Amino acid sequence: MKTEHKTPVSLETLTALCKRRGFIFQSSEIYNGLNGFWDFGPLGTELKNNLRDAWWQDMVRNPPLGPDGEMIDIVGLDSSIIQNPKVWAASGHLGGFNDPMADCRESKSRYRADHLMVYVPESGEGTAFAFLEGEPSVAEKRIKKKAKSDPSAYKVVPYNELDPALIPTVWGPDAQEPGTLTEPRQFNLMFKTFIGAMAGEGDENTAYLRPETAQGIFINYKNVVDTMRVKLPFGIGQIGKSFRNEVTPRNFIFRSREFEQMELEWFCHPDEATKWYDFWVQTRLDWWESLGVDMRNLRRRDHDEDELAHYSTACADVEYQYGFTAPGFGELEGIAHRGNYDLSQHQEASGTKLEYFDQETNEKFIPHVIEPSSGLSRGVLVLLNEAYTEEFVPKGNTEGGPLLAEPGTRPPEGYESRVVLKFAPRLAPIKVAIFPLLKNREELVNKAKDLYADLRKTWPVFYDQTGAIGRRYRRQDEIGTPYCVTVDFDSLEDDTVTIRDRDSMEQHRIPITELRSWLQSKLV
Ligand code: ATP
């Protein structure tokens, strides 16, 4: 059970750890990168796959019991990334999937106008100072230096709600003088591509990379109903890549231009939609908690009426306290009550009937939909934030357990610092590390390698024979390996090994013949 509440880790610390230990790299790094794109390294790929598989197992293959304790059915799908462009016209993405953006004529920077905030003088006189949401310090320094004033004499207004007459007075975040920002303009977030060998930029060849996985589900609703003998209510789940040409990709993998989503469309009778909406909001919060996320770092935020799309009657976000939002929260997942909007739109645009016929009641209707939609890449960021822990541990790895440390502080006498990623064993990229005590004793190395060869048939296992044992433990702590197994001289005599627990740092001996079943019971 968690008692102490950790201070959230800064984005800089986390990004550096992810690069150093092979979790996440800047995409195209040897060519100076590409803004908004990231590559998952060997450990990041394992972590992401584990989160993906946990969702698939807990949502599609073995979903939770429904609100009345009944079994529910969800089936999986893997639809294509490029779909007929009419899909995006019908879904509303071609016409309405826009973000307001503003350009800086001087620095050539581009900003999401709704993420750009402005300090506007309360007096109505003088220059206004813009800053990116959550980063007011540059603007505050300028207020003091250039306007010889105090930020308390200013009010904060989002740039896209600013009186247009004031735009020439605004000093952009990266500009050397005021008045360089353009008025906000709408910008469509879908990436365009062109289909076919002779494809030019003509409209008839234009297609789009999907900005969400959800529409692939709606356009296959009839295929699934016709082939899978599913009965309402039921769900279709899908995990896959989505692409959004974000105006300002930022905060590491929180907002990127290529990312993965895990989406469920739950189809039900209109009269039951509210019951299912409540069920899914609670179920999704519980799921994140089941992965080890501290509930103090999660919250439910219900959308206000003016935030809802015209067809939606309710929407709630699961929000997480990321290091860069703390003490505030940022979105992790959205659960939307979408009514029958999507199926109705596709029925009308395609001319294909998407009604459900209930054989028991002889009723024909378009089902209502509840959509829990979460980011897989953003989920990985949550797991990393949540797992990152700095601790003080007794020197020499002997007496006493670890103490939670305030990040960046020095250890007390007799202690040293360690960084440990406390992933739930189910999610940890490497499950077990195998060490021979000494690398220059053939008997130890052979026995350890035999063990390694056996265990890797079942789990991701790491073999390490270099350096002092304490250093090898630290390397595994920093990538979140829950168990380290050491083969020592006693192992040669009695066929036992020591297992060291990542979190408590306690060690115990166990016969090698029992190791597999012991690990099996822990790695769930
Ligand atoms: P925002 O308002 O932050 O742009 P959104 O509300 O449009 O996001 P949804 O369309 O509801 O997001 O997408 C569902 C989920 O997909 C989000 O909760 C998030 O986890 C993930 N997601 C959306 N956009 C991105 C992105 N650019 N990078 C990474 N994950 C994203």
Side-chain angles (χ1 to χ4, degrees):
M1 231 190 79
K2 289 181 184 162
T3 45
E4 288 176 274
H5 193 200
K6 285 182 305 178
T7 306
V9 55
S10 75
L11 210 51
E12 295 70 38
T13 306
L14 204 60
T15 313
L17 174 80
C18 283
K19 179 175 159 63
R20 194 171 69 247
R21 300 311 314 269
F23 281 92
I24 297 164
F25 307 123
Q26 194 184 17
S27 173
S28 320
E29 192 178 333
I30 60 170
Y31 293 101
N32 288 331
L34 185 62
N35 193 14
F37 297 88
W38 298 91
D39 292 344
F40 284 79
L43 297 183
T45 304
E46 292 286 347
L47 179 62
K48 177 156 68 69
N49 288 352
N50 292 343
L51 181 57
R52 177 198 67 188
D53 294 348
W55 189 94
W56 198 259
Q57 173 62 23
D58 298 345
M59 294 288 282
V60 178
R61 291 191 175 156
N62 181 33
L65 294 177
D68 303 320
E70 74 282 27
M71 295 229 277
I72 62 172
D73 288 316
I74 299 182
V75 294
L77 186 78
D78 187 5
S79 68
S80 56
I81 283 172
I82 296 179
Q83 296 158 15
N84 190 313
K86 288 179 185 159
V87 170
W88 307 112
S91 67
H93 285 84
L94 258 183
F97 194 52
N98 300 320
D99 275 341
M101 66 167 195
D103 287 319
C104 176
R105 290 185 209 92
E106 184 200 301
S107 70
K108 308 291 175 222
S109 302
R110 174 165 284 179
Y111 310 99
R112 270 273 294 266
D114 53 337
H115 291 174
L116 203 58
M117 299 289 143
V118 190
Y119 274 122
V120 181
E122 293 275 9
S123 64
E125 298 287 312
T127 310
F129 297 88
F131 60 94
L132 282 174
E133 204 175 15
E135 299 171 16
S137 59
V138 175
E140 286 168 1
K141 275 188 203 139
R142 280 180 169 166
I143 289 176
K144 286 178 194 149
K145 205 165 157 206
K146 308 278 182 196
K148 305 259 178 294
S149 181
D150 191 87
S152 61
Y154 291 69
K155 63 182 175 200
V156 175
V157 181
Y159 188 72
N160 60 338
E161 290 171 22
L162 196 67
D163 174 356
L166 292 179
I167 286 179
T169 71
V170 178
W171 198 317
D174 305 298
Q176 298 305 315
E177 57 184 63
T180 63
L181 291 179
T182 62
E183 278 195 28
R185 283 184 288 140
Q186 292 300 322
F187 172 77
N188 192 289
L189 296 188
M190 281 199 294
F191 278 101
K192 268 189 193 170
T193 188
F194 305 99
I195 294 180
M198 305 295 287
E201 298 221 352
D203 275 354
E204 71 280 10
N205 297 318
T206 303
Y208 303 89
L209 305 192
R210 68 179 177 203
E212 60 174 35
T213 63
Q215 298 304 321
I217 298 181
F218 294 124
I219 59 174
N220 279 292
Y221 162 79
K222 185 170 160 36
N223 283 333
V224 172
V225 172
D226 290 349
T227 56
M228 297 302 294
R229 301 167 56 99
V230 280
K231 284 213 174 86
L232 229 56
F234 72 94
I236 307 178
Q238 168 157 240
I239 300 177
K241 289 242 165 159
S242 292
F243 302 81
R244 294 183 188 180
N245 199 0
E246 296 282 357
V247 179
T248 42
R250 54 204 277 254
N251 296 328
F252 197 27
I253 55 170
F254 178 82
R255 185 178 301 286
S256 50
R257 289 177 165 142
E258 175 175 343
F259 55 96
E260 284 178 78
Q261 291 184 303
M262 311 186 283
E263 296 196 292
L264 169 73
E265 305 304 326
W266 179 256
F267 301 94
C268 60
H269 190 282
D271 293 348
E272 296 202 319
T274 305
K275 173 179 93 172
W276 286 109
Y277 170 74
D278 293 339
F279 169 78
W280 282 115
V281 174
Q282 191 54 46
T283 300
R284 297 303 304 147
L285 273 162
D286 293 347
W287 187 75
W288 288 106
E289 189 184 16
S290 78
L291 299 182
V293 181
D294 188 336
M295 283 309 276
R296 289 170 290 191
N297 296 333
L298 276 182
R299 74 171 186 200
R300 168 185 177 157
R301 187 182 73 81
D302 290 291
H303 285 208
D304 293 335
E305 271 197 20
D306 59 357
E307 281 179 87
L308 295 174
H310 64 89
Y311 49 79
S312 176
T313 46
C315 188
D317 287 345
V318 174
E319 293 190 330
Y320 180 77
Q321 191 178 55
Y322 303 88
F324 61 88
T325 57
F329 289 71
E331 180 175 334
L332 162 62
E333 168 160 353
I335 298 102
H337 183 325
R338 299 185 62 84
N340 64 8
Y341 176 76
D342 304 273
L343 289 179
S344 303
Q345 288 289 106
H346 287 304
Q347 171 166 293
E348 195 184 323
S350 68
T352 305
K353 281 262 173 277
L354 298 176
E355 289 166 329
Y356 179 83
F357 176 63
D358 189 325
Q359 287 174 338
E360 277 168 32
T361 59
N362 273 342
E363 205 185 349
K364 223 184 217 180
F365 57 92
I366 296 185
H368 278 207
V369 168
I370 310 300
E371 176 190 80
S373 163
S374 71
L376 173 55
S377 335
R378 210 176 267 188
V380 169
L381 184 59
V382 166
L383 296 183
L384 286 163
N385 269 267
E386 196 62 20
Y388 183 93
T389 313
E390 287 185 28
E391 287 181 343
F392 299 139
V393 295
K395 273 189 184 155
N397 239 334
T398 45
E399 297 289 298
L403 307 171
L404 188 64
E406 192 56 30
T409 53
R410 296 174 69 81
E413 189 60 31
Y415 283 79
E416 58 191 6
S417 302
R418 76 160 178 168
V419 168
V420 49
L421 294 185
K422 294 193 172 183
F423 296 124
R426 179 185 190 193
L427 299 167
I430 305 285
K431 310 293 183 198
V432 195
I434 309 282
F435 309 149
L437 186 64
L438 299 169
K439 70 171 174 193
N440 53 4
R441 296 298 289 262
E442 207 182 337
E443 331 76 281
L444 296 178
V445 168
N446 287 344
K447 202 169 180 66
K449 282 195 173 162
D450 284 349
L451 203 51
Y452 172 48
D454 177 46
L455 294 182
R456 70 188 240 169
K457 290 178 199 147
T458 313
W459 295 289
V461 183
F462 195 89
Y463 175 83
D464 189 3
Q465 58 179 28
T466 10
I469 286 284
R471 295 256 309 279
R472 286 185 250 170
Y473 284 152
R474 291 289 176 279
R475 287 201 286 263
Q476 295 304 315
D477 289 345
E478 222 190 11
I479 61 171
T481 307
Y483 303 108
C484 293
V485 171
T486 305
V487 173
D488 58 18
F489 291 105
D490 287 347
S491 313
L492 303 177
E493 301 290 318
D494 60 7
D495 230 24
T496 61
V497 284
T498 55
I499 301 181
R500 182 259 196 187
D501 182 277
R502 177 195 66 199
D503 297 346
S504 68
M505 296 172 46
E506 279 165 10
Q507 304 186 13
H508 72 277
R509 281 198 93 80
I510 178 170
I512 291 179
T513 49
E514 288 173 23
L515 186 58
R516 261 185 173 277
S517 57
W518 187 88
L519 286 169
Q520 206 97 49
S521 69
K522 299 285 175 184
L523 296 173
V524 282

